[in-house]
Each structure stands twice: as C-alpha cells, then as structure tokens.
Amino acid sequence: HQSPAMDVKGKDTTIVLPTSQKQLRACLGCRLLKTSSQWREPCENGCSEENTSNFKGMVCFMDTSDSWVARWQRSEGKVRGVYAIKVYGSALDAQARRDEEEFDRGDMEDDGKLDEDFDDYDDDYSER
C-alpha cells in the first residue's frame, strides 16, 4: 500500500476510480466503490475489508474535506473517488456469506460432534 501523494497545499491527491462500470462492489465501512478485481487490494480508507455488490446510487468526491455532500454522506477526510450513496448489508452478513461458501466448498471441518449435540438435545427435549 503506497502512502498518499500530496499536492502543494498538503491535500491528499490520491484518487480511487473503478476501472470498469461492471462488477462494482462497495466497502461496507466507507462505501468506496471499486471493481471486484480492485478489491484484491485493501480499502484505501483503511476501513473494513468487507464489500458488497448490494448498493444504491453513486457519487464522486473530488475534495472530501470541503464538500457538503461528503459531510452529508459522512465521507469527510476519505480518499477522492466514487462512493455508493447507500449500502445494504453488514460485516456480519459478509461473514455469514463466507462461512456458507466455505461450507459449500467443503472447507469447514466436521468434528462429528454436531450429530452428537443434536442427539443430546433431542433426548433432553423428548424427556420433558
């Protein structure tokens, strides 16, 4: 990760733009928009590594420190770039999706205890 470039006034000149209009994903932490392939690198704002394709609207900030829209979107001090106006989901949703994908791929190990735990629960419940 490179340190941000600064102009003569000391403002950050880094700008993050999607390389395509297809497969856009928004950071769940700051709503920065990048393509799926660009998300191989961490968020330039240093927030959540989680991102989603479930967002609405876009806005481009050229100066987040001096923009009423940036203040309204709570994007003050973020890198210049394209941001989603509204993002749906949370980091918990993203974790659940990853867990489901791991399970579907067979990456999760079965310790054999789930069936035993269920049988114990079933026995306890049926005795009542």
Side-chain angles (χ1 to χ4, degrees), residues 5 14 16 35 37 40 44 60 67 82 100 107 110-111 120 122:
T14 302
V16 179
T35 62
S37 60
R40 291 184 187 127
E44 284 75 5
C60 183
S67 164
V82 181
E100 187 175 307
D107 292 348
D110 182 6
D111 63 2
D120 290 343
D122 195 33

Side-chain angles (χ1 to χ4, degrees), residues 9-95:
K9 295 181 182 176
K11 287 190 176 182
D12 185 351
T13 59
T14 302
I15 186 165
V16 179
L17 297 174
T19 55
S20 168
Q21 292 181 12
K22 296 179 182 178
Q23 298 182 345
L24 290 177
R25 300 185 65 80
C27 175
L28 287 172
C30 68
R31 298 185 310 273
L32 179 66
L33 286 174
K34 301 193 298 186
T35 62
S36 295
S37 60
Q38 286 176 292
W39 278 112
R40 291 184 187 127
E41 297 295 321
C43 179
E44 284 75 5
N45 288 315
C47 39
S48 174
E49 292 183 25
E50 306 298 336
N51 55 74
T52 181
S53 61
N54 196 4
F55 65 89
K56 185 175 183 179
M58 292 184 258
V59 63
C60 183
F61 295 123
M62 297 311 291
D63 185 355
T64 60
S65 66
D66 196 28
S67 164
W68 70 267
V69 178
R71 283 192 302 277
W72 171 60
Q73 286 289 302
R74 296 187 179 105
S75 296
E76 292 174 287
K78 306 291 187 206
V79 297
R80 299 182 313 157
V82 181
Y83 289 80
I85 292 175
K86 179 136 177 97
V87 172
Y88 302 97
S90 69
L92 292 175
D93 295 338
Q95 180 63 47

